Amino acid sequence: MQRLAPLMEEPMDQEEQERGGGSIRTKSWKKWIKTQLQSMIIHKKPDAKVLLSVLGCPLFPVPPLSKMSLQQVSSSAQYIIQHFAAATGCKKLERGIKNTFVTGKITMTMMNDLSGSATVNASPVSHKGCFVMWQMLPEKWLIELVGGGHKISAGSDGEIAWRYTPWLGDHAAKGAIRPLRRTLQGLDPLTISSVFSSAQFVGEKEINGKDCFVLKLSTDQTDLTRRSDSTAEMIKHVAFGYFSQKSGLLLCLEDSSLTRIQTPGSLPTYWETSMSSWMEDYRAIEGSEVVIAHSGRTDVLISRFVETLKGGISVTRMEERWTIDDVAFDVPGLSIDCFIPPKEMKMDFHHQDGPNTFPELLDERQKL
């Protein structure tokens, strides 16, 4: 019996295999490395950390009302919300449902663009992922999201909103406790009703061929100040909800924020982040009269410019598509204890004087 030849561990073309020889093996290995390097340069993958930091689990600009009655109508906005509450059946949520469990899938994509240029990445790479979310009342929620090879999580116990990322660990956000923006993307009718009951009616607009009422919400100056620090000043954070005049459903959700960042010895830099979500596939949850959006799309534009505008404006565009797989109410075993943040984080929260927004957003923006 003849001895078997060693198995070659590096890739090799068929022609080179036929020729054989040690020098050919070396050439094949170098050729494969060269091909991989060229592929990495031409098809450079977007930074999944940036996508997850911005799109993973952002907070909504305005907290929900502490107490809300869906029966009270004293403004145009509350009349529109009455129509929305009737269309989604969220009064049932207010009456007796204790908690909510949701699972879904996401696909995130990032394309860089420069102002004045019509070109973007020729073949943007998408990162697919999934998430699971638990909620007990609007101020108590927890989400775990996996995408781009990373897992992040965020939560709120009604006192602290916090987030965990593998690259920064646990960190908390000060300011008023705000709901998870993902729940307002047509997923939680009760929180949508609570938040927009205090909104201002600002007119009408056509969205995707449908006439909508427009409600506006703005973060007050006190909370903007609490969410700022010595290097990052939150200048504004506003949101708009577009409610269908015919169906009463929330069809589009927009919010934009402007932040001024300045480190010692450098010019101030302004970051404007605009998020627009379109909700689709509204239907009732099985065994319930509650109607939610089962899919949708979110577009994000992040613009960066210095105070003098000499360097122009740098624009980064991101996109997320999501679908909801399962929704369940009153899941057994889910209690208030499930939303308790890590003990060390709670101690740090009561002693820190840092920024009142998730800090890695500022770190990841520097990479754009």
Side-chain angles (χ1 to χ4, degrees):
M1 181 179 295
Q2 295 182 351
R3 186 177 181 181
L4 295 176
L7 180 65
M8 298 189 55
E9 297 183 0
E10 67 269 17
M12 203 172 197
D13 294 339
Q14 186 174 359
E15 296 179 0
E16 293 173 342
Q17 265 187 334
E18 294 174 354
R19 290 199 301 266
S23 62
I24 299 299
R25 291 176 58 183
T26 304
K27 291 178 182 178
S28 174
W29 181 242
K30 290 180 179 179
K31 180 181 178 182
W32 183 80
I33 292 178
K34 183 179 179 181
T35 302
Q36 295 301 310
L37 288 175
Q38 289 176 343
S39 176
M40 290 174 63
I41 294 173
I42 297 174
H43 305 289
K44 186 178 179 181
K45 293 184 178 180
D47 193 342
K49 293 182 181 180
V50 178
L51 286 166
L52 289 170
S53 294
V54 177
L55 284 168
C57 28
L59 301 182
F60 194 68
V62 181
L65 298 175
S66 56
K67 292 183 179 180
M68 179 203 64
S69 173
L70 295 178
Q71 308 297 328
Q72 182 181 1
V73 178
S74 59
S75 66
S76 298
Q78 290 178 356
Y79 174 81
I80 295 169
I81 291 304
Q82 280 278 3
H83 192 192
F84 171 79
T88 57
C90 69
K91 293 182 180 180
K92 182 178 180 180
L93 291 172
E94 185 185 35
R95 285 195 299 265
I97 294 178
K98 298 179 181 179
N99 62 62
T100 307
F101 169 79
V102 181
T103 61
K105 295 184 179 68
I106 59 171
T107 301
M108 299 179 296
T109 309
M110 182 168 70
M111 294 82 71
N112 290 323
D113 188 15
L114 292 177
S115 179
S117 173
T119 61
V120 294
N121 288 351
S123 54
V125 179
S126 297
H127 294 278
K128 294 186 177 181
C130 58
F131 69 90
V132 58
M133 186 180 73
W134 299 266
Q135 181 163 317
M136 180 179 290
L137 305 176
E139 67 273 10
K140 293 180 176 62
W141 49 266
L142 180 67
I143 183 172
E144 294 181 352
L145 188 148
V146 177
H150 299 284
K151 177 183 176 180
I152 64 173
S153 57
S156 169
D157 66 347
E159 181 183 0
I160 301 173
W162 58 273
R163 174 152 57 177
Y164 166 81
T165 61
W167 49 93
L168 280 182
D170 296 315
H171 44 275
K174 290 183 180 178
I177 294 299
R178 295 170 284 148
L180 191 66
R181 189 186 190 278
R182 193 171 295 277
T183 64
L184 276 88
Q185 296 171 180
L187 188 57
D188 182 358
L190 189 59
T191 300
I192 294 171
S193 300
S194 176
V195 167
F196 278 98
S197 289
S198 60
Q200 177 187 3
F201 173 66
V202 293
E204 303 176 9
K205 186 176 181 179
E206 186 176 297
I207 298 292
N208 294 333
K210 298 179 181 179
D211 295 328
C212 295
F213 296 117
V214 184
L215 300 184
K216 178 183 178 182
L217 287 165
S218 300
T219 304
D220 61 43
Q221 188 58 46
T222 301
D223 199 44
L224 289 175
T225 302
R226 293 175 63 189
R227 290 162 56 188
S228 302
D229 71 348
S230 58
T231 59
E233 177 190 0
M234 182 72 70
I235 298 175
K236 71 169 185 176
H237 202 169
V238 298
F240 295 89
Y242 299 87
F243 294 82
S244 171
Q245 297 183 15
K246 183 177 181 180
S247 67
L249 299 173
L250 176 64
L251 300 185
C252 181
L253 179 69
E254 294 180 348
D255 68 272
S256 62
S257 62
L258 180 62
T259 307
R260 181 181 183 271
I261 301 175
Q262 184 173 17
T263 55
S266 64
L267 292 173
T269 304
Y270 292 86
W271 293 85
E272 184 172 19
T273 303
S274 300
M275 305 183 72
S276 301
S277 298
W278 289 269
M279 278 61 76
E280 303 168 355
D281 193 18
Y282 271 100
R283 47 191 165 96
I285 300 171
E286 185 177 354
S288 168
E289 299 176 358
V290 180
V291 174
I292 69 166
H294 281 71
S295 64
R297 184 184 91 248
T298 296
D299 289 338
V300 179
L301 285 177
I302 299 180
S303 304
R304 181 188 64 180
F305 54 93
V306 295
E307 202 164 45
T308 60
L309 291 179
K310 287 183 178 180
I313 300 177
S314 174
V315 180
T316 300
R317 184 165 66 91
M318 308 178 186
E319 180 184 279
E320 178 196 69
R321 291 185 176 272
W322 79 88
T323 56
I324 302 303
D325 294 330
D326 188 29
V327 178
F329 296 127
D330 293 334
V331 178
L334 192 65
S335 67
I336 296 178
D337 294 339
C338 299
F339 304 94
I340 297 176
K343 182 178 179 181
E344 295 80 5
M345 184 187 307
K346 199 159 188 174
M347 294 174 61
D348 293 341
F349 173 80
H350 292 292
H351 294 90
Q352 69 176 337
D353 295 318
N356 301 317
T357 186
F358 290 134
E360 81 269 17
L361 289 180
L362 303 182
D363 297 337
E364 299 300 337
R365 281 171 178 169
Q366 304 301 329
K367 301 177 183 179
L368 299 178

